């Protein structure tokens, strides 16, 4: 055991002589000294170690905080990536700041990408409620920095002034509580400058005087600069879109003006400038309004329904609905005008757009077309009328007595000529209906009497065809209903004459029935004629279409009557349909048919009026 | 057709019997010819080829009824009617519009100017027109 040997040695030394003891004591002292030194070193090391450990702890805290900050930055970047609206971006940034520093209040103002105008609103985002005093101070802070940031020289309207005088506050989070008397003791303002353009200003304030340490400031700048990069990306996207739109608007053949909530013009394309003959210089809505007022072709408008352009703009903004002016006569031109309100982020009206569509050429073509139709029909009718009148005079013996055969031949001429007149009238009517120029003027009338009169008129024709027309009246007589007599006569007349012409039985009966079904009056016309074969039922209302069995039965006919009838009924808000369940073609020798029933329904409120220009030719 | 004017000279009641005078204003020769032929057995017919001629004939000869076309050279029918209505005598004269134009605005204009009837030629038999004139002059 070496240890015990050592001790033994020491003990033996003490027991030995004094001479040898001094040397030993010296060396022992040395050793003790060494040991003390070592102890001190150890202590130093322990302290150092402890210090290191403490440092590590501190670092870990900082690291954790850094992680949290990174998290915030990351999630902010993600959120920003999803958003294209400056407003949303700003509310996200302020949210992130609040996540890190829940005690602060964030206030910001924003300017749209394409202008240096701030929207006149201060957005406040805070987890706490703030009082009047607080808000006043932070707007002072905003205003102060607005007047010192060099980028703001470009501002068109003095943002500083409105922040000081007429600020409107909108709370993103938190609320106003005027019982709170706290005021901000420290604040920082960060302009949001996306290369070259100021898009906003953020103010972060705290009730704590020493809140904004270097570290906090650094963090806030990091957050905001991250956002600025995102905004820059978005701005590029938007400006690409904007310039695409801009060039589209520039090249449009329609005049386009867009204006903001203060009725300042934001966009005006060359077309609108050429319309109001102001190709250069600043353009205001008033310039446009006064041009429209001075150059309105007054004798072409109806004073009762006229809407001026300024009225239209006013109406669009107050009702937030698009206003449509069908025809605005301006000088020698005609414009169709749309005024549309444009909404901001908060669904508030942020201005509007005026679109001018030049319809001068359309009007001219329309005029030429109707003139052509009118002249053509006039030109066609003149010789036909001459033929008819002279035939009539010959028939009447005005040029001497005729023999039977001569009369017979004249009958043929007369029939042909009369058919031609009818065809011309039909063509004219089709043209009127198709161009929507048909005038429908309903007047209250007793349907019963109206139908009875038509049936009475057709009695002669029915007798010639060996048919009888039976009228089934409703049990209780119906109240008067507003109908356009000329038009409705044409429809009912057509239905009954068809029933007579296409009847097959030797003594057939045509039943005309008037009844009420809920909100409609129904006039039905049933016959026992040739019917309408299944395969052509879908085509029967087509213009100029005639079913084969109809051609076979009656050579005469243009195939236009039902087309016109359906158009008239539908234009006036009713319906016209038919049933012909068991119809078949008439084969030679086969005279029986199962007939067809036409149902004409009119709303009990009567025919819809239509302010067209033309009435129908009535034959 | 005969018109009758009754007047008193002292105690004597005088009857002035005359044929009703009808002015036809029509540019289409075949219509003028047909109408004249048909109407001249009953009426005293005078003819004009255009609006200007028609207006001066009307104001000079004071017919009992005017058959007026619309599409006329020089002065159209509606303008002629407007002029006619400016005249004291012309204010009350019976005018029957006879045309082949089926233009709604022309019709409205004509009725506004106090036309008695607006007939579409191609829709009317010549006998119907004669009958209508008889009725209007009764």
């Amino acid at each position: 055991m070496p240890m015990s040997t050592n001790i033994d040695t020491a003990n033996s030394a003490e027991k030995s002589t004094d001479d040898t003891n001094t040397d030993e004591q010296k060396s022992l002292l040395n050793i003790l000294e060494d040991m003390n030194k070592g102890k001190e070193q150890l202590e130093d090391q322990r302290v150092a170690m402890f210090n290191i450990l403490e440092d590590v702890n501190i670092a870990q805290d900082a690291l954790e905080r850094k992680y949290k900050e990174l998290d915030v930055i990351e999630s902010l970047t993600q959120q920003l990536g999803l958003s294209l609206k400056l407003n949303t971006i700003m509310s996200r940034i302020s949210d992130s700041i609040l996540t890190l520093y829940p005690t602060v209040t964030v206030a910001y103002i924003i300017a749209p990408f394409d202008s240096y105008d701030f929207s006149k609103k201060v957005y406040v985002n805070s987890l706490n409620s703030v009082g009047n005093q607080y808000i006043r101070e932070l707007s002072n802070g905003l205003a102060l920095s607005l007047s010192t940031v060099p980028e703001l020289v470009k501002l068109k309207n003095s943002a500083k002034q409105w922040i000081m005088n007429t600020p409107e506050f909108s709370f993103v989070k938190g609320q106003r509580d005027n019982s709170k008397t706290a005021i901000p003791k420290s604040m920082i303002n960060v302009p949001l400058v996306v290369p070259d353009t100021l898009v906003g200003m953020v103010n972060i304030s705290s009730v704590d005087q020493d809140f904004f340490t270097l570290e906090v400031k650094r963090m806030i700048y990091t957050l905001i600069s991250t956002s600025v990069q995102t905004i820059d990306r978005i701005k590029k996207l938007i400006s690409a879109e904007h310039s695409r739109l801009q060039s589209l608007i520039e090249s449009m053949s329609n005049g386009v003006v867009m204006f903001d909530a203060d009725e300042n013009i934001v966009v005006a394309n060359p077309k609108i400038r050429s319309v109001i003959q102001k190709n250069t210089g600043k353009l205001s809505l008033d310039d446009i309004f006064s041009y429209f007022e001075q150059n309105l072709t007054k004798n072409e408008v109806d004073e009762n329904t006229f809407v001026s352009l300024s009225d239209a703009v006013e109406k669009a903004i107050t009702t937030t609905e698009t206003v449509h002016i069908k025809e605005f006569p301006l000088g020698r031109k005609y414009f169709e005008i749309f005024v549309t309100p444009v909404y901001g982020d908060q669904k508030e009206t942020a201005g509007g757009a005026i679109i001018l569509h030049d319809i001068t050429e359309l009007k001219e073509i329309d005029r030429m077309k109707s003139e052509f139709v009118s002249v053509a029909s006039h030109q066609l009718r003149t010789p036909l009328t001459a033929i008819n009148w002279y035939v009539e005079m010959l028939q009447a013996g005005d040029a001497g007595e005729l023999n039977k055969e001569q009369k017979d031949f004249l009958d043929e001429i007369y029939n042909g000529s009369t058919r031609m007149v009818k065809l011309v009238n039909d063509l004219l009517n089709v043209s009127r209906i198709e161009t929507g120029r048909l005038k429908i003027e309903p007047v209250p009338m007793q349907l019963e009497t109206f139908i009875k009169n038509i049936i009475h008129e057709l009695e002669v024709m029915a007798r010639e065809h060996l048919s009888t027309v039976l009228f089934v009246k409703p049990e209780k007589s119906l109240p008067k209903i507003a109908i356009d007599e000329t038009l409705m006569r044409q429809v009912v007349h057509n239905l009954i004459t068809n029933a007579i012409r296409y009847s097959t039985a030797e003594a057939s009966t045509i039943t005309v029935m008037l009844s009420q079904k809920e909100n409609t009056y129904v006039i039905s016309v049933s016959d026992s004629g040739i019917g309408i074969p299944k395969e052509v039922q879908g085509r029967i209302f087509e213009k100029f279409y005639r079913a084969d069995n109809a051609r076979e039965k009656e050579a005469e006919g243009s195939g236009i009557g039902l087309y016109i009838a359906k158009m008239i009924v539908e234009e006036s808000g009713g319906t016209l349909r038919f049933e012909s369940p068991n119809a078949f073609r008439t084969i030679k020798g086969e005279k029986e048919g199962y007939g067809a029933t036409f149902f004409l329904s009119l709303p009990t409120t009567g025919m819809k009026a239509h302010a067209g220009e033309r009435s129908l030719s009535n034959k | 057709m005969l018109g009758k004017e009754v007047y008193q000279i002292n105690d004597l009641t005088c009857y002035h019997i005359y044929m009703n005078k009808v002015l036809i204003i029509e540019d289409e020769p075949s219509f003028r010819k047909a109408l004249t032929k048909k109407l001249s057995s009953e009426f005293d017919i005078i003819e004009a080829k255009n609006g200007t001629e028609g207006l001066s004939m009307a104001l000079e000869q004071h017919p009992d009824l005017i058959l007026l076309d619309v599409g006329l050279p020089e002065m159209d029918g509606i303008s002629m009617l407007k002029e006619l209505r400016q005249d004291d005598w012309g204010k009350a004269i019976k005018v029957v519009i006879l045309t082949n134009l089926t233009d709604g605005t022309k019709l409205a204009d004509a009725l506004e100017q106090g036309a008695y009837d607006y007939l579409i030629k191609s829709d009317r038999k010549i006998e119907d027109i004669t009958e209508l004139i008889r009725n209007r002059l009764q």
Side-chain angles (χ1 to χ4, degrees), chain A residues 378-393:
Chain A
H378 180 236
Q379 298 299 349
L380 284 169
R381 279 175 179 169
T382 300
L384 290 171
T385 310
I387 294 171
N388 277 1
W389 284 2
Y390 282 97
V391 171
E392 282 164 21
M393 290 196 294

PDB file of all heavy atoms in Angstrom, chain A residues 378-393:
ATOM      1  N   HIS A 378     -93.465  49.986-100.277  1.00  0.00           N
ATOM      2  CA  HIS A 378     -94.262  50.981-100.985  1.00  0.00           C
ATOM      3  C   HIS A 378     -94.207  50.745-102.491  1.00  0.00           C
ATOM      4  O   HIS A 378     -95.216  50.736-103.182  1.00  0.00           O
ATOM      5  CB  HIS A 378     -93.741  52.379-100.640  1.00  0.00           C
ATOM      6  CG  HIS A 378     -94.488  53.471-101.311  1.00  0.00           C
ATOM      7  ND1 HIS A 378     -93.876  54.402-102.104  1.00  0.00           N
ATOM      8  CD2 HIS A 378     -95.806  53.763-101.336  1.00  0.00           C
ATOM      9  CE1 HIS A 378     -94.789  55.219-102.591  1.00  0.00           C
ATOM     10  NE2 HIS A 378     -95.968  54.855-102.124  1.00  0.00           N
ATOM     11  N   GLN A 379     -92.964  50.516-102.951  1.00  0.00           N
ATOM     12  CA  GLN A 379     -92.773  50.290-104.380  1.00  0.00           C
ATOM     13  C   GLN A 379     -93.496  49.036-104.865  1.00  0.00           C
ATOM     14  O   GLN A 379     -94.003  48.984-105.972  1.00  0.00           O
ATOM     15  CB  GLN A 379     -91.285  50.164-104.718  1.00  0.00           C
ATOM     16  CG  GLN A 379     -90.463  51.388-104.413  1.00  0.00           C
ATOM     17  CD  GLN A 379     -90.919  52.601-105.205  1.00  0.00           C
ATOM     18  OE1 GLN A 379     -91.723  52.475-106.128  1.00  0.00           O
ATOM     19  NE2 GLN A 379     -90.441  53.771-104.835  1.00  0.00           N
ATOM     20  N   LEU A 380     -93.510  48.005-104.002  1.00  0.00           N
ATOM     21  CA  LEU A 380     -94.180  46.774-104.399  1.00  0.00           C
ATOM     22  C   LEU A 380     -95.703  46.938-104.372  1.00  0.00           C
ATOM     23  O   LEU A 380     -96.418  46.400-105.210  1.00  0.00           O
ATOM     24  CB  LEU A 380     -93.791  45.637-103.451  1.00  0.00           C
ATOM     25  CG  LEU A 380     -92.404  45.039-103.663  1.00  0.00           C
ATOM     26  CD1 LEU A 380     -92.037  44.126-102.509  1.00  0.00           C
ATOM     27  CD2 LEU A 380     -92.372  44.277-104.983  1.00  0.00           C
ATOM     28  N   ARG A 381     -96.158  47.704-103.400  1.00  0.00           N
ATOM     29  CA  ARG A 381     -97.600  47.833-103.252  1.00  0.00           C
ATOM     30  C   ARG A 381     -98.235  48.656-104.358  1.00  0.00           C
ATOM     31  O   ARG A 381     -99.375  48.393-104.742  1.00  0.00           O
ATOM     32  CB  ARG A 381     -97.919  48.520-101.927  1.00  0.00           C
ATOM     33  CG  ARG A 381     -97.877  47.586-100.769  1.00  0.00           C
ATOM     34  CD  ARG A 381     -98.090  48.399 -99.546  1.00  0.00           C
ATOM     35  NE  ARG A 381     -98.083  47.598 -98.364  1.00  0.00           N
ATOM     36  CZ  ARG A 381     -98.035  48.120 -97.167  1.00  0.00           C
ATOM     37  NH1 ARG A 381     -97.979  49.422 -97.042  1.00  0.00           N
ATOM     38  NH2 ARG A 381     -98.040  47.346 -96.124  1.00  0.00           N
ATOM     39  N   THR A 382     -97.503  49.657-104.829  1.00  0.00           N
ATOM     40  CA  THR A 382     -98.102  50.556-105.822  1.00  0.00           C
ATOM     41  C   THR A 382     -98.579  49.807-107.073  1.00  0.00           C
ATOM     42  O   THR A 382     -99.766  49.886-107.410  1.00  0.00           O
ATOM     43  CB  THR A 382     -97.123  51.695-106.143  1.00  0.00           C
ATOM     44  OG1 THR A 382     -96.876  52.381-104.921  1.00  0.00           O
ATOM     45  CG2 THR A 382     -97.681  52.657-107.159  1.00  0.00           C
ATOM     46  N   PRO A 383     -97.714  49.030-107.731  1.00  0.00           N
ATOM     47  CA  PRO A 383     -98.224  48.318-108.908  1.00  0.00           C
ATOM     48  C   PRO A 383     -99.295  47.280-108.562  1.00  0.00           C
ATOM     49  O   PRO A 383    -100.248  47.089-109.336  1.00  0.00           O
ATOM     50  CB  PRO A 383     -96.983  47.633-109.483  1.00  0.00           C
ATOM     51  CG  PRO A 383     -95.975  47.635-108.406  1.00  0.00           C
ATOM     52  CD  PRO A 383     -96.278  48.796-107.533  1.00  0.00           C
ATOM     53  N   LEU A 384     -99.164  46.646-107.389  1.00  0.00           N
ATOM     54  CA  LEU A 384    -100.164  45.649-107.005  1.00  0.00           C
ATOM     55  C   LEU A 384    -101.529  46.302-106.790  1.00  0.00           C
ATOM     56  O   LEU A 384    -102.559  45.773-107.207  1.00  0.00           O
ATOM     57  CB  LEU A 384     -99.735  44.932-105.718  1.00  0.00           C
ATOM     58  CG  LEU A 384     -98.541  43.988-105.871  1.00  0.00           C
ATOM     59  CD1 LEU A 384     -98.067  43.504-104.513  1.00  0.00           C
ATOM     60  CD2 LEU A 384     -98.908  42.810-106.770  1.00  0.00           C
ATOM     61  N   THR A 385    -101.511  47.476-106.162  1.00  0.00           N
ATOM     62  CA  THR A 385    -102.766  48.189-105.939  1.00  0.00           C
ATOM     63  C   THR A 385    -103.399  48.571-107.281  1.00  0.00           C
ATOM     64  O   THR A 385    -104.613  48.434-107.462  1.00  0.00           O
ATOM     65  CB  THR A 385    -102.509  49.465-105.117  1.00  0.00           C
ATOM     66  OG1 THR A 385    -101.728  49.123-103.981  1.00  0.00           O
ATOM     67  CG2 THR A 385    -103.807  50.090-104.660  1.00  0.00           C
ATOM     68  N   ALA A 386    -102.533  49.030-108.183  1.00  0.00           N
ATOM     69  CA  ALA A 386    -103.052  49.415-109.496  1.00  0.00           C
ATOM     70  C   ALA A 386    -103.730  48.214-110.162  1.00  0.00           C
ATOM     71  O   ALA A 386    -104.847  48.326-110.684  1.00  0.00           O
ATOM     72  CB  ALA A 386    -101.926  49.953-110.367  1.00  0.00           C
ATOM     73  N   ILE A 387    -103.071  47.052-110.105  1.00  0.00           N
ATOM     74  CA  ILE A 387    -103.668  45.842-110.691  1.00  0.00           C
ATOM     75  C   ILE A 387    -105.031  45.578-110.041  1.00  0.00           C
ATOM     76  O   ILE A 387    -106.048  45.404-110.718  1.00  0.00           O
ATOM     77  CB  ILE A 387    -102.742  44.614-110.489  1.00  0.00           C
ATOM     78  CG1 ILE A 387    -101.437  44.799-111.282  1.00  0.00           C
ATOM     79  CG2 ILE A 387    -103.448  43.319-110.904  1.00  0.00           C
ATOM     80  CD1 ILE A 387    -100.383  43.753-110.979  1.00  0.00           C
ATOM     81  N   ASN A 388    -105.046  45.581-108.713  1.00  0.00           N
ATOM     82  CA  ASN A 388    -106.288  45.278-107.997  1.00  0.00           C
ATOM     83  C   ASN A 388    -107.423  46.230-108.375  1.00  0.00           C
ATOM     84  O   ASN A 388    -108.534  45.813-108.670  1.00  0.00           O
ATOM     85  CB  ASN A 388    -106.057  45.361-106.485  1.00  0.00           C
ATOM     86  CG  ASN A 388    -105.464  44.074-105.942  1.00  0.00           C
ATOM     87  OD1 ASN A 388    -105.215  43.137-106.700  1.00  0.00           O
ATOM     88  ND2 ASN A 388    -105.242  44.020-104.648  1.00  0.00           N
ATOM     89  N   TRP A 389    -107.111  47.525-108.348  1.00  0.00           N
ATOM     90  CA  TRP A 389    -108.169  48.499-108.603  1.00  0.00           C
ATOM     91  C   TRP A 389    -108.745  48.359-110.015  1.00  0.00           C
ATOM     92  O   TRP A 389    -109.946  48.402-110.203  1.00  0.00           O
ATOM     93  CB  TRP A 389    -107.631  49.929-108.397  1.00  0.00           C
ATOM     94  CG  TRP A 389    -107.496  50.290-106.946  1.00  0.00           C
ATOM     95  CD1 TRP A 389    -107.752  49.488-105.885  1.00  0.00           C
ATOM     96  CD2 TRP A 389    -107.086  51.555-106.433  1.00  0.00           C
ATOM     97  NE1 TRP A 389    -107.512  50.147-104.727  1.00  0.00           N
ATOM     98  CE2 TRP A 389    -107.094  51.447-105.023  1.00  0.00           C
ATOM     99  CE3 TRP A 389    -106.693  52.771-106.990  1.00  0.00           C
ATOM    100  CZ2 TRP A 389    -106.745  52.491-104.170  1.00  0.00           C
ATOM    101  CZ3 TRP A 389    -106.345  53.815-106.150  1.00  0.00           C
ATOM    102  CH2 TRP A 389    -106.369  53.672-104.745  1.00  0.00           C
ATOM    103  N   TYR A 390    -107.851  48.169-110.984  1.00  0.00           N
ATOM    104  CA  TYR A 390    -108.360  48.056-112.363  1.00  0.00           C
ATOM    105  C   TYR A 390    -109.139  46.765-112.543  1.00  0.00           C
ATOM    106  O   TYR A 390    -110.161  46.733-113.242  1.00  0.00           O
ATOM    107  CB  TYR A 390    -107.217  48.209-113.381  1.00  0.00           C
ATOM    108  CG  TYR A 390    -106.832  49.673-113.550  1.00  0.00           C
ATOM    109  CD1 TYR A 390    -105.760  50.228-112.869  1.00  0.00           C
ATOM    110  CD2 TYR A 390    -107.604  50.510-114.372  1.00  0.00           C
ATOM    111  CE1 TYR A 390    -105.419  51.565-112.990  1.00  0.00           C
ATOM    112  CE2 TYR A 390    -107.278  51.865-114.503  1.00  0.00           C
ATOM    113  CZ  TYR A 390    -106.193  52.385-113.809  1.00  0.00           C
ATOM    114  OH  TYR A 390    -105.900  53.709-113.948  1.00  0.00           O
ATOM    115  N   VAL A 391    -108.667  45.680-111.890  1.00  0.00           N
ATOM    116  CA  VAL A 391    -109.437  44.431-111.958  1.00  0.00           C
ATOM    117  C   VAL A 391    -110.814  44.650-111.332  1.00  0.00           C
ATOM    118  O   VAL A 391    -111.838  44.248-111.885  1.00  0.00           O
ATOM    119  CB  VAL A 391    -108.692  43.271-111.261  1.00  0.00           C
ATOM    120  CG1 VAL A 391    -109.597  42.044-111.148  1.00  0.00           C
ATOM    121  CG2 VAL A 391    -107.429  42.902-112.014  1.00  0.00           C
ATOM    122  N   GLU A 392    -110.837  45.323-110.192  1.00  0.00           N
ATOM    123  CA  GLU A 392    -112.118  45.587-109.515  1.00  0.00           C
ATOM    124  C   GLU A 392    -113.069  46.355-110.435  1.00  0.00           C
ATOM    125  O   GLU A 392    -114.265  46.072-110.501  1.00  0.00           O
ATOM    126  CB  GLU A 392    -111.891  46.401-108.234  1.00  0.00           C
ATOM    127  CG  GLU A 392    -111.374  45.576-107.070  1.00  0.00           C
ATOM    128  CD  GLU A 392    -110.785  46.444-105.957  1.00  0.00           C
ATOM    129  OE1 GLU A 392    -111.124  47.648-105.877  1.00  0.00           O
ATOM    130  OE2 GLU A 392    -109.968  45.914-105.175  1.00  0.00           O
ATOM    131  N   MET A 393    -112.491  47.357-111.123  1.00  0.00           N
ATOM    132  CA  MET A 393    -113.352  48.162-111.997  1.00  0.00           C
ATOM    133  C   MET A 393    -113.862  47.339-113.175  1.00  0.00           C
ATOM    134  O   MET A 393    -115.017  47.467-113.563  1.00  0.00           O
ATOM    135  CB  MET A 393    -112.615  49.426-112.453  1.00  0.00           C
ATOM    136  CG  MET A 393    -112.423  50.405-111.301  1.00  0.00           C
ATOM    137  SD  MET A 393    -111.997  52.064-111.810  1.00  0.00           S
ATOM    138  CE  MET A 393    -110.415  51.868-112.529  1.00  0.00           C
TER     139      MET A 393
END
